Amino acid sequence: MRLSVLAISLAFLAVHLAIAAWVPLFDDEAYYALWARDLALGYYDHPPMIAYMIRLGTSLFGETALGIRLFPVIGFAASGYLVGDMARRMSGGHVGLAVLATALYNLGLLVFALGSFATPDAPSTLFWVAALWAAMRAVNTPPGTRAAMLWWVCTGLLLGFGGLSKFTNAFLAFGLLGYLIATPKGRAYLPTRLPWMAVAAAALPLLPYLAWNLQHDWLGLERQGARLVASGFSIRTLGEYAALLLLAPTPLVSWFALRALRAPPKDGALLVWSAVPLLLYFAYHATHAPVQANWIVPLQAVFAVLAAFGLARAQSPQRWTRATLAIALLMSVGLVAAAFNPVAPIGTADNPPNQTRGWPATEEAIAELLEETGATWIATTDYARTGSLALRFPQVPVWSVAQLQRYGFRGAFPAELCAAPGLLIERARRSETTSETAPSLFETVEDTHEVTRTQAGVTLMRYHLTPVAGLKSPDLCPN
């Protein structure tokens, strides 16, 4: 069994590594790669784990697409292996169920789509699944043994590492607590010291991040906590959330996962309780704002394991299993192939696939203007341009002159750039023919040039390139 699950995991790993090496970086990945240049205990947008994973890869392969994505891709493959091992333990060692669960997990729309890229969802999902896997071992180990203590501590540590990946992972801790309170098997552990040992272990990895927040006026916690504030009510976004939950694992996987709940397998209660708090929070969030698809990636493990049991109990299980795998394969591979096809973009929206297209001509135009104007650095006003241009022009200093709270990890702004000639690069809005922000940011502003990023004749993005000098910002260039 282990070799079979391992073989499937390695096969998907090979597929994702090939995609990772072939597809150019999109904006968010480039921004996270900028974090990895200057490691810190915390960042404005997310906890730091994705930066650490990227740094490991770039230390081996440099700031290439493969180097940046290597360990996030490995993280997704490892989580798939653990999904199979959970199914094996829940089924009493059934080989087929473990293999099926691993395959269903890897063929889910979200896992297959995100499994090749470097986003915080990679470490978040890895540590979510790993913590759930360790918790399953913990609650099936007699409480008076040394092994029980080790598994509870392991669960806590993995929860803590999950918290260093994404705040979403805190909901898993709430789910495990709900399991301990609501189920007889869980309540047997409440009088022991084991849950408290898990809590202490979970807090340990988080202490440096909490200290960083304390030193930075709770910047990261305040940023993420703002999403808890509700305003308005919308049934439409609630319906979109329900559709997302059913479609993300692919439809038949969702159907058979729900069927499995009629007679839950061993430790099925643990799976369900692990997901309940996050499901409820996103239902609340969906009443006033859309739930982004990537937010629910950690829940795909639960769908995959339950669906494997549901398929095993179906009438004509082999026929339904083949149909489920075939539909998942067509949907997931078809989606990624269409989105990243090398011929032409799908639409003109500023989405991750389109952010990877049309760069050679754009880079050449920027390089020519840098040389023509004598600009010694590139100025930006948003994180997408900052990260993307920093990786594409490693020989030129790239600094944002706006949204400064995002860039504390980079240290002090180079004083020599305050008066040096620069090139301000911004996304051009449709109504703008020249940079409207440059005069407020710089003492000297020359005529704006426009560069368009295109592929196959489709306009994907317009940029304003404005030669500037004399940065006005007192925060970056104090007198």
Side-chain angles (χ1 to χ4, degrees):
M1 186 288 303
R2 287 182 180 274
L3 289 177
S4 297
V5 171
L6 180 60
I8 292 174
S9 300
L10 291 176
F12 278 100
L13 174 62
V15 170
H16 288 302
L17 286 176
I19 296 172
W22 172 59
V23 176
L25 297 167
F26 55 83
D27 290 347
D28 281 6
E29 291 181 296
Y31 178 50
Y32 302 137
L34 192 61
W35 293 5
R37 287 185 180 180
D38 298 284
L39 294 182
L41 296 178
Y43 299 89
Y44 173 71
D45 298 272
H46 288 290
M49 187 62 73
I50 183 61
Y52 302 159
M53 293 182 79
I54 291 174
R55 182 62 171 268
L56 286 173
T58 56
S59 66
L60 296 174
F61 296 102
E63 284 188 334
T64 62
L66 180 60
I68 289 167
R69 292 166 172 162
L70 176 62
F71 282 94
V73 170
I74 291 174
F76 266 113
S79 65
Y81 179 86
L82 295 177
V83 166
D85 194 63
M86 282 192 288
R88 179 185 70 84
R89 294 180 182 281
M90 292 172 65
S91 64
H94 194 285
V95 174
L97 276 170
V99 171
L100 180 58
T102 300
L104 294 176
Y105 173 79
N106 281 287
L107 286 175
L109 281 173
L110 296 179
V111 173
F112 193 81
L114 292 173
S116 304
F117 306 108
T119 71
D121 301 296
S124 169
T125 303
L126 169 62
F127 290 116
W128 182 295
V129 174
L132 183 57
W133 170 82
M136 187 173 293
R137 300 290 297 267
V139 299
N140 284 292
T141 304
T145 63
R146 180 179 176 83
M149 180 184 68
L150 293 176
W151 281 117
W152 281 87
V153 170
C154 181
T155 301
L157 286 173
L158 292 168
L159 287 171
F161 289 133
L164 282 180
S165 305
K166 212 170 180 182
F167 290 149
T168 303
N169 288 58
F171 289 95
L172 175 59
F174 296 140
L176 296 179
L177 176 61
Y179 171 81
L180 293 179
I181 296 172
T183 66
K185 188 174 182 178
R187 285 195 295 270
Y189 289 89
L190 286 177
T192 73
R193 61 178 181 174
L194 295 175
W196 296 105
M197 295 177 69
V199 170
L204 192 60
L206 295 171
L207 291 177
Y209 180 63
L210 293 174
W212 177 88
N213 270 276
L214 179 62
Q215 295 169 358
H216 293 81
D217 297 323
W218 304 105
L219 190 65
L221 293 175
E222 182 179 338
R223 159 77 168 166
Q224 295 297 323
R227 292 181 173 175
L228 298 175
V229 179
S231 60
F233 181 83
S234 172
I235 296 178
R236 179 182 62 83
T237 49
L238 193 58
E240 291 174 355
Y241 169 58
L244 175 63
L245 283 177
L246 295 175
L247 291 175
T250 67
L252 284 181
V253 171
S254 297
W255 170 251
F256 283 105
L258 292 173
R259 284 177 60 91
L261 293 178
R262 294 179 179 179
K266 174 194 173 186
D267 291 323
L270 179 63
L271 291 184
V272 173
W273 272 105
S274 73
V276 164
L278 190 60
L279 288 169
L280 292 178
Y281 168 70
F282 284 152
Y284 155 75
H285 184 91
T287 61
H288 59 275
V291 173
Q292 296 180 21
N294 62 296
W295 294 355
I296 66 168
V297 180
L299 299 178
Q300 304 314 296
V302 173
F303 278 93
V305 173
L306 291 177
F309 282 92
L311 283 165
R313 298 169 182 168
Q315 293 183 349
S316 304
Q318 292 185 348
R319 178 165 59 90
W320 279 112
T321 296
R322 286 194 293 267
T324 301
L325 290 171
I327 290 174
L329 180 67
L330 287 173
M331 290 181 66
S332 298
V333 175
L335 173 67
V336 172
F340 294 100
N341 80 85
V343 179
I346 306 299
T348 60
D350 183 31
N351 53 43
N354 283 349
Q355 290 166 7
T356 69
R357 301 176 181 274
W359 274 102
T362 303
E363 289 181 38
E364 183 178 349
I366 293 173
E368 289 178 357
L369 193 56
L370 284 168
E371 183 176 357
E372 178 184 328
T373 61
T376 59
W377 67 291
I378 293 174
T380 60
T381 55
D382 66 273
Y383 82 89
R385 252 52 61 190
T386 305
S388 182
L389 294 171
L391 288 187
R392 296 178 188 282
F393 294 90
Q395 75 282 6
V396 180
V398 178
W399 285 84
S400 177
V401 294
Q403 302 178 346
L404 301 184
Q405 72 276 16
R406 292 182 182 272
Y407 304 101
F409 64 94
R410 301 192 73 183
F413 182 78
E416 65 272 16
L417 299 182
C418 290
L423 188 64
L424 175 63
I425 301 180
E426 308 167 277
R427 178 179 180 177
R429 297 179 177 86
R430 290 183 179 181
S431 60
E432 294 178 342
T433 58
T434 188
S435 173
E436 296 182 358
T437 59
S440 65
L441 296 170
F442 294 90
E443 298 287 352
T444 302
V445 178
E446 299 181 17
D447 292 339
T448 295
H449 303 253
E450 184 172 298
V451 171
T452 303
R453 182 163 54 84
T454 65
Q455 186 186 43
V458 178
T459 297
L460 300 173
M461 183 74 70
R462 293 170 53 243
Y463 301 94
H464 278 161
L465 281 62
T466 308
V468 293
L471 183 60
K472 294 180 179 180
S473 172
D475 295 316
L476 296 176
C477 297
N479 294 327

